[in-house]
Coordinates of all heavy atoms in Angstrom, one line a residue:
M21 N 18.2 6.3 1.8 CA 17.1 6.0 0.9 C 16.5 4.6 1.3 O 17.2 3.8 1.7 CB 17.6 5.9 -0.5 CG 17.7 7.3 -1.2 SD 18.2 7.3 -2.9 CE 19.9 7.0 -2.7
P22 N 15.2 4.5 1.1 CA 14.6 3.2 1.5 C 14.9 2.1 0.5 O 15.2 2.4 -0.7 CB 13.1 3.6 1.4 CG 13.0 4.7 0.5 CD 14.3 5.5 0.6
I23 N 14.8 0.9 1.0 CA 15.0 -0.2 0.1 C 13.7 -0.9 -0.1 O 13.0 -1.2 0.8 CB 16.0 -1.2 0.7 CG1 17.4 -0.5 0.9 CG2 16.2 -2.5 -0.1 CD1 18.4 -1.4 1.6
Y24 N 13.4 -1.1 -1.4 CA 12.1 -1.7 -1.7 C 12.3 -3.1 -2.2 O 13.4 -3.4 -2.8 CB 11.3 -0.9 -2.8 CG 10.9 0.4 -2.3 CD1 11.7 1.6 -2.6 CD2 9.8 0.6 -1.6 CE1 11.3 2.8 -2.2 CE2 9.4 1.9 -1.2 CZ 10.2 3.0 -1.5 OH 9.8 4.2 -1.0
E25 N 11.4 -4.0 -1.9 CA 11.5 -5.4 -2.3 C 10.5 -5.5 -3.5 O 9.4 -5.2 -3.4 CB 11.1 -6.3 -1.2 CG 12.1 -6.3 -0.1 CD 11.8 -7.3 1.0 OE1 10.7 -7.9 1.0 OE2 12.6 -7.4 2.0
Y26 N 11.0 -6.1 -4.5 CA 10.2 -6.4 -5.7 C 10.2 -7.9 -6.0 O 11.0 -8.6 -5.6 CB 10.8 -5.6 -6.9 CG 10.8 -4.1 -6.8 CD1 11.8 -3.4 -6.2 CD2 9.7 -3.4 -7.3 CE1 11.8 -2.1 -6.1 CE2 9.6 -2.0 -7.2 CZ 10.7 -1.4 -6.6 OH 10.7 0.0 -6.5
V27 N 9.2 -8.2 -6.7 CA 9.1 -9.6 -7.2 C 8.7 -9.6 -8.7 O 7.9 -8.8 -9.1 CB 8.0 -10.4 -6.4 CG1 6.7 -9.8 -6.5 CG2 8.0 -11.9 -6.9
C28 N 9.4 -10.4 -9.4 CA 9.2 -10.5 -10.9 C 8.0 -11.5 -11.1 O 8.0 -12.6 -10.7 CB 10.4 -11.0 -11.6 SG 10.2 -11.2 -13.4
E29 N 7.0 -11.0 -11.9 CA 5.9 -11.8 -12.2 C 6.2 -12.8 -13.3 O 5.5 -13.8 -13.5 CB 4.7 -11.0 -12.6 CG 4.2 -10.1 -11.4 CD 3.0 -9.3 -11.8 OE1 2.4 -9.5 -12.9 OE2 2.5 -8.4 -11.0
A30 N 7.2 -12.5 -14.0 CA 7.6 -13.4 -15.1 C 8.3 -14.7 -14.7 O 8.0 -15.8 -15.1 CB 8.4 -12.6 -16.2
C31 N 9.3 -14.5 -13.8 CA 10.1 -15.6 -13.4 C 10.0 -15.8 -11.9 O 10.6 -16.8 -11.4 CB 11.5 -15.5 -13.8 SG 12.4 -14.2 -12.9
G32 N 9.4 -14.9 -11.1 CA 9.3 -15.1 -9.7 C 10.5 -14.7 -8.9 O 10.6 -14.9 -7.7
Q33 N 11.4 -14.1 -9.6 CA 12.6 -13.6 -8.9 C 12.3 -12.5 -7.9 O 11.6 -11.6 -8.3 CB 13.6 -13.2 -9.9 CG 14.9 -12.5 -9.3 CD 15.8 -13.5 -8.6 OE1 15.9 -14.7 -9.1 NE2 16.3 -13.2 -7.5
E34 N 12.8 -12.6 -6.7 CA 12.7 -11.5 -5.8 C 14.0 -10.8 -5.6 O 15.0 -11.4 -5.6 CB 12.2 -12.1 -4.4 CG 10.9 -12.8 -4.4 CD 10.5 -13.3 -3.1 OE1 11.3 -13.1 -2.1 OE2 9.5 -14.0 -3.0
F35 N 13.9 -9.5 -5.6 CA 15.1 -8.7 -5.5 C 14.8 -7.4 -4.8 O 13.7 -7.0 -4.7 CB 15.7 -8.5 -6.9 CG 14.8 -7.8 -7.8 CD1 14.8 -6.4 -8.0 CD2 13.8 -8.5 -8.5 CE1 14.0 -5.7 -8.9 CE2 12.9 -7.8 -9.4 CZ 13.0 -6.5 -9.6
E36 N 15.9 -6.8 -4.3 CA 15.7 -5.5 -3.6 C 16.3 -4.4 -4.5 O 17.2 -4.6 -5.3 CB 16.4 -5.6 -2.3 CG 15.8 -6.6 -1.3 CD 16.6 -6.6 0.0 OE1 17.7 -6.0 0.1 OE2 16.1 -7.2 1.0
R37 N 15.8 -3.3 -4.2 CA 16.2 -2.1 -5.0 C 16.1 -0.9 -4.2 O 15.1 -0.6 -3.6 CB 15.4 -2.0 -6.3 CG 15.8 -0.8 -7.1 CD 14.8 -0.6 -8.3 NE 14.9 0.6 -9.0 CZ 15.6 0.8 -10.1 NH1 16.3 -0.1 -10.6 NH2 15.7 2.0 -10.6
I38 N 17.2 -0.1 -4.2 CA 17.2 1.1 -3.5 C 16.6 2.2 -4.4 O 17.1 2.4 -5.5 CB 18.6 1.5 -3.0 CG1 19.1 0.5 -2.0 CG2 18.6 2.9 -2.4 CD1 20.6 0.7 -1.6
A39 N 15.5 2.8 -4.0 CA 14.9 3.7 -4.9 C 14.4 5.0 -4.2 O 14.0 4.9 -3.0 CB 13.7 3.1 -5.6
R40 N 14.4 6.1 -4.9 CA 13.8 7.3 -4.3 C 12.3 7.1 -4.4 O 11.8 6.3 -5.0 CB 14.3 8.5 -5.1 CG 15.8 8.7 -4.9 CD 16.2 9.9 -5.8 NE 17.7 10.1 -5.7 CZ 18.3 10.9 -6.5 NH1 17.7 11.6 -7.4 NH2 19.6 11.1 -6.4
F41 N 11.6 8.0 -3.7 CA 10.2 8.0 -3.6 C 9.6 8.1 -5.0 O 8.6 7.4 -5.4 CB 9.7 9.1 -2.7 CG 8.2 9.0 -2.5 CD1 7.6 8.1 -1.7 CD2 7.3 9.8 -3.2 CE1 6.2 8.0 -1.5 CE2 5.9 9.8 -3.1 CZ 5.4 8.8 -2.2
S42 N 10.1 8.9 -5.8 CA 9.6 9.1 -7.2 C 9.9 7.9 -8.1 O 9.1 7.7 -9.0 CB 10.3 10.3 -7.8 OG 11.7 10.2 -7.8
E43 N 10.9 7.1 -7.7 CA 11.2 6.0 -8.5 C 10.5 4.7 -8.0 O 10.5 3.7 -8.7 CB 12.7 5.7 -8.5 CG 13.5 6.9 -9.1 CD 15.0 6.7 -8.9 OE1 15.4 6.0 -8.0 OE2 15.8 7.1 -9.8
A44 N 9.9 4.8 -6.8 CA 9.3 3.6 -6.2 C 8.1 3.2 -7.0 O 7.7 2.1 -6.9 CB 9.0 3.9 -4.8
D45 N 7.5 4.1 -7.7 CA 6.3 3.8 -8.4 C 6.6 3.1 -9.7 O 5.7 2.4 -10.3 CB 5.5 5.1 -8.8 CG 4.3 5.3 -7.8 OD1 4.1 4.4 -7.0 OD2 3.6 6.3 -7.9
Q46 N 7.8 3.2 -10.2 CA 8.2 2.6 -11.4 C 8.5 1.1 -11.2 O 9.0 0.8 -10.1 CB 9.3 3.3 -12.1 CG 9.0 4.8 -12.2 CD 10.3 5.6 -12.7 OE1 11.3 5.0 -13.1 NE2 10.2 6.9 -12.8
S47 N 8.3 0.3 -12.2 CA 8.7 -1.0 -12.1 C 10.1 -1.2 -12.6 O 10.4 -1.0 -13.8 CB 7.7 -1.9 -12.9 OG 6.4 -1.8 -12.3
P48 N 11.0 -1.7 -11.8 CA 12.3 -2.0 -12.2 C 12.4 -3.2 -13.1 O 11.5 -4.0 -13.1 CB 13.1 -2.2 -10.9 CG 12.1 -2.7 -10.0 CD 10.8 -2.0 -10.4
I49 N 13.5 -3.3 -13.8 CA 13.7 -4.4 -14.6 C 14.2 -5.6 -13.8 O 15.1 -5.4 -13.0 CB 14.6 -4.1 -15.8 CG1 14.0 -3.0 -16.7 CG2 15.0 -5.3 -16.6 CD1 14.9 -2.5 -17.8
C50 N 13.6 -6.8 -14.0 CA 14.1 -7.9 -13.3 C 15.6 -8.2 -13.6 O 15.9 -8.4 -14.8 CB 13.2 -9.1 -13.6 SG 13.8 -10.7 -12.9
P51 N 16.4 -8.4 -12.6 CA 17.8 -8.6 -12.9 C 18.1 -10.1 -13.4 O 19.1 -10.4 -13.9 CB 18.5 -8.4 -11.5 CG 17.4 -8.7 -10.5 CD 16.1 -8.3 -11.2
A52 N 17.0 -10.9 -13.2 CA 17.2 -12.3 -13.6 C 16.9 -12.6 -15.0 O 17.6 -13.2 -15.8 CB 16.4 -13.2 -12.7
C53 N 15.7 -12.0 -15.4 CA 15.2 -12.3 -16.8 C 15.0 -11.1 -17.6 O 14.8 -11.2 -18.8 CB 13.9 -13.1 -16.7 SG 12.5 -12.1 -16.2
G54 N 15.2 -9.9 -17.0 CA 15.1 -8.7 -17.8 C 13.6 -8.2 -18.1 O 13.4 -7.3 -18.8
S55 N 12.7 -8.9 -17.5 CA 11.3 -8.5 -17.7 C 11.0 -7.3 -16.9 O 11.5 -7.0 -15.8 CB 10.4 -9.7 -17.3 OG 9.0 -9.3 -17.3
K56 N 10.0 -6.5 -17.4 CA 9.6 -5.4 -16.6 C 8.3 -5.6 -15.9 O 7.7 -4.8 -15.3 CB 9.3 -4.2 -17.6 CG 10.6 -3.7 -18.3 CD 10.4 -2.6 -19.2 CE 10.1 -1.3 -18.5 NZ 10.0 -0.1 -19.4
E57 N 7.9 -6.9 -15.9 CA 6.7 -7.3 -15.2 C 7.0 -7.5 -13.7 O 7.0 -8.6 -13.2 CB 6.1 -8.5 -15.8 CG 5.6 -8.3 -17.3 CD 4.5 -7.3 -17.4 OE1 3.6 -7.3 -16.5 OE2 4.5 -6.5 -18.3
T58 N 7.3 -6.5 -13.1 CA 7.7 -6.6 -11.7 C 6.8 -5.7 -10.8 O 6.3 -4.7 -11.3 CB 9.1 -6.2 -11.4 OG1 9.3 -4.8 -11.8 CG2 10.1 -7.1 -12.2
H59 N 6.6 -6.0 -9.6 CA 5.8 -5.2 -8.8 C 6.4 -5.1 -7.4 O 7.1 -6.1 -6.9 CB 4.3 -5.6 -8.7 CG 4.1 -7.0 -8.1 ND1 4.0 -8.1 -8.8 CD2 4.1 -7.3 -6.8 CE1 3.9 -9.1 -8.0 NE2 3.9 -8.7 -6.8
K60 N 6.2 -4.1 -6.7 CA 6.7 -3.9 -5.4 C 6.0 -4.7 -4.3 O 4.8 -4.8 -4.4 CB 6.7 -2.4 -5.0 CG 7.3 -2.1 -3.7 CD 7.5 -0.6 -3.5 CE 6.2 0.1 -3.6 NZ 6.3 1.6 -3.5
Q61 N 6.7 -5.4 -3.5 CA 6.1 -6.1 -2.4 C 5.7 -5.2 -1.3 O 6.6 -4.4 -0.8 CB 7.0 -7.2 -1.9 CG 7.3 -8.3 -3.0 CD 8.0 -9.5 -2.4 OE1 8.6 -9.4 -1.3 NE2 8.0 -10.6 -3.0
I62 N 4.5 -5.3 -0.9 CA 4.0 -4.4 0.2 C 4.5 -4.8 1.5 O 4.9 -4.0 2.3 CB 2.5 -4.3 0.1 CG1 2.0 -3.9 -1.3 CG2 2.0 -3.3 1.2 CD1 2.5 -2.5 -1.7
S63 N 4.3 -6.1 1.8 CA 4.6 -6.6 3.1 C 6.1 -6.7 3.3 O 6.8 -7.6 2.8 CB 4.0 -8.0 3.3 OG 4.4 -8.8 2.3
R64 N 6.6 -5.8 4.0 CA 8.1 -5.8 4.3 C 8.3 -6.5 5.6 O 7.7 -6.1 6.6 CB 8.6 -4.4 4.4 CG 9.1 -3.8 3.0 CD 10.3 -3.0 3.2 NE 11.5 -3.8 3.5 CZ 12.6 -3.3 3.9 NH1 12.8 -2.0 3.9 NH2 13.7 -4.0 4.2
V65 N 9.2 -7.4 5.6 CA 9.5 -8.1 6.9 C 11.0 -7.8 7.2 O 11.8 -7.6 6.3 CB 9.3 -9.6 6.8 CG1 7.8 -9.9 6.6 CG2 10.0 -10.2 5.6
A66 N 11.3 -7.8 8.4 CA 12.6 -7.6 8.8 C 13.5 -8.8 8.3 O 13.1 -9.9 8.3 CB 12.8 -7.5 10.3
T67 N 14.7 -8.4 7.9 CA 15.6 -9.4 7.4 C 15.9 -10.5 8.5 O 16.4 -10.1 9.6 CB 16.9 -8.8 6.9 OG1 17.4 -8.0 8.0 CG2 16.6 -7.9 5.7
G68 N 15.7 -11.7 8.2 CA 16.1 -12.8 9.1 C 15.0 -13.3 9.9 O 15.1 -14.2 10.7
S69 N 13.8 -12.7 9.7 CA 12.7 -13.1 10.6 C 11.6 -13.8 9.7 O 10.4 -13.6 10.0 CB 12.0 -11.9 11.3 OG 11.5 -11.0 10.3
T70 N 12.0 -14.6 8.8 CA 11.0 -15.3 7.9 C 10.4 -16.5 8.7 O 11.2 -17.2 9.3 CB 11.7 -15.8 6.6 OG1 12.9 -16.5 7.0 CG2 12.1 -14.6 5.7
G71 N 9.1 -16.6 8.6 CA 8.5 -17.7 9.2 C 8.0 -17.4 10.6 O 7.1 -18.1 11.1
S72 N 8.4 -16.4 11.2 CA 7.9 -16.0 12.6 C 6.5 -15.5 12.5 O 6.2 -14.8 11.5 CB 8.8 -15.0 13.2 OG 8.7 -13.8 12.6
S73 N 5.7 -15.8 13.4 CA 4.3 -15.4 13.4 C 4.0 -14.3 14.3 O 2.9 -14.1 14.8 CB 3.4 -16.6 13.7 OG 3.6 -17.1 15.0
G74 N 5.0 -13.5 14.7 CA 4.8 -12.4 15.6 C 4.4 -11.2 14.8 O 5.2 -10.5 14.3
D75 N 3.1 -10.8 14.8 CA 2.7 -9.7 14.1 C 2.2 -8.6 15.1 O 1.1 -8.1 15.0 CB 1.6 -10.0 13.1 CG 0.4 -10.7 13.8 OD1 0.6 -11.1 15.0 OD2 -0.6 -10.9 13.2
S76 N 3.0 -8.3 16.0 CA 2.6 -7.4 17.1 C 2.6 -5.9 16.6 O 2.0 -5.1 17.1 CB 3.6 -7.5 18.3 OG 4.9 -7.2 17.8
S77 N 3.3 -5.7 15.5 CA 3.4 -4.3 15.0 C 2.3 -4.0 14.0 O 2.2 -2.9 13.5 CB 4.8 -4.1 14.3 OG 4.9 -5.0 13.2
S78 N 1.5 -5.0 13.7 CA 0.5 -4.7 12.6 C -0.8 -4.0 13.2 O -1.6 -3.5 12.4 CB 0.1 -6.0 11.9 OG -0.5 -6.9 12.9
T79 N -0.9 -4.1 14.5 CA -2.2 -3.5 15.1 C -1.9 -2.2 15.8 O -2.6 -1.9 16.7 CB -2.8 -4.5 16.0 OG1 -1.9 -5.0 17.0 CG2 -3.3 -5.8 15.2
S80 N -0.7 -1.6 15.6 CA -0.3 -0.5 16.4 C -0.6 0.8 15.7 O -0.3 1.8 16.3 CB 1.2 -0.6 16.7 OG 1.9 -0.6 15.5
C81 N -1.3 0.8 14.6 CA -1.4 2.1 13.9 C -2.9 2.3 13.5 O -3.1 3.2 12.7 CB -0.5 2.1 12.6 SG -1.0 0.9 11.4
S82 N -3.8 1.6 14.0 CA -5.2 1.8 13.6 C -6.1 1.8 14.8 O -6.9 0.9 15.0 CB -5.6 0.8 12.6 OG -5.5 -0.5 13.1
G83 N -6.0 2.8 15.6 CA -6.8 3.0 16.8 C -6.4 2.1 17.9 O -6.1 2.6 19.0
G84 N -6.4 0.8 17.7 CA -6.0 -0.1 18.7 C -7.0 -0.3 19.8 O -6.8 0.0 20.9
G85 N -8.2 -0.7 19.4 CA -9.3 -0.8 20.4 C -9.5 -2.3 20.7 O -10.6 -2.6 21.1
H86 N -8.6 -3.1 20.5 CA -8.8 -4.5 20.8 C -8.5 -4.9 22.2 O -8.9 -6.0 22.6 CB -7.8 -5.3 19.9 CG -8.2 -5.2 18.4 ND1 -9.3 -5.8 17.9 CD2 -7.6 -4.6 17.4 CE1 -9.4 -5.6 16.6 NE2 -8.4 -4.8 16.3
F87 N -8.0 -4.0 23.0 CA -7.8 -4.3 24.4 C -9.0 -3.9 25.1 O -9.5 -2.7 25.1 CB -6.6 -3.5 24.9 CG -5.4 -3.6 24.0 CD1 -5.0 -2.6 23.1 CD2 -4.6 -4.7 24.0 CE1 -3.9 -2.7 22.3 CE2 -3.5 -4.9 23.2 CZ -3.2 -3.8 22.3
S88 N -9.6 -4.8 25.8 CA -10.9 -4.6 26.5 C -10.8 -3.5 27.5 O -9.9 -3.4 28.2 CB -11.4 -5.8 27.2 OG -10.6 -6.2 28.2
Ligands
LIG8 ZN1 12.2 -12.1 -13.9

């Protein structure tokens, strides 16, 4: 099952949650403050690669006409 990353809008807590596809649309309850004002983070980064500016994989799925 995929792991989704969520962020709490109430307290800013970031947490991960393993969810099925049908559950991914639902907002989980924040484990820190119990708020349901959470949303899924779209930009998934590999664990341990925070701060790196290598975005080589972001241009690989849309035609790729940047190479002359
Ligand atoms: Zn919270």
Side-chain angles (χ1 to χ4, degrees):
M21 278 185 281
I23 298 178
Y24 295 97
E25 295 181 355
Y26 295 88
V27 59
C28 175
E29 296 184 6
C31 71
Q33 174 69 39
E34 297 179 4
F35 57 98
E36 295 180 346
R37 177 186 167 95
I38 300 176
R40 295 174 182 173
F41 185 76
S42 58
E43 296 174 332
D45 257 356
Q46 305 174 6
S47 295
I49 297 176
C50 173
C53 69
S55 172
K56 296 180 71 172
E57 298 298 320
T58 59
H59 66 263
K60 184 168 55 181
Q61 292 190 341
I62 304 301
S63 57
R64 272 217 69 189
V65 292
T67 52
S69 66
T70 50
S72 67
S73 59
D75 55 349
S76 58
S77 62
S78 61
T79 58
S80 60
C81 65
S82 60
H86 291 287
F87 312 101
S88 66

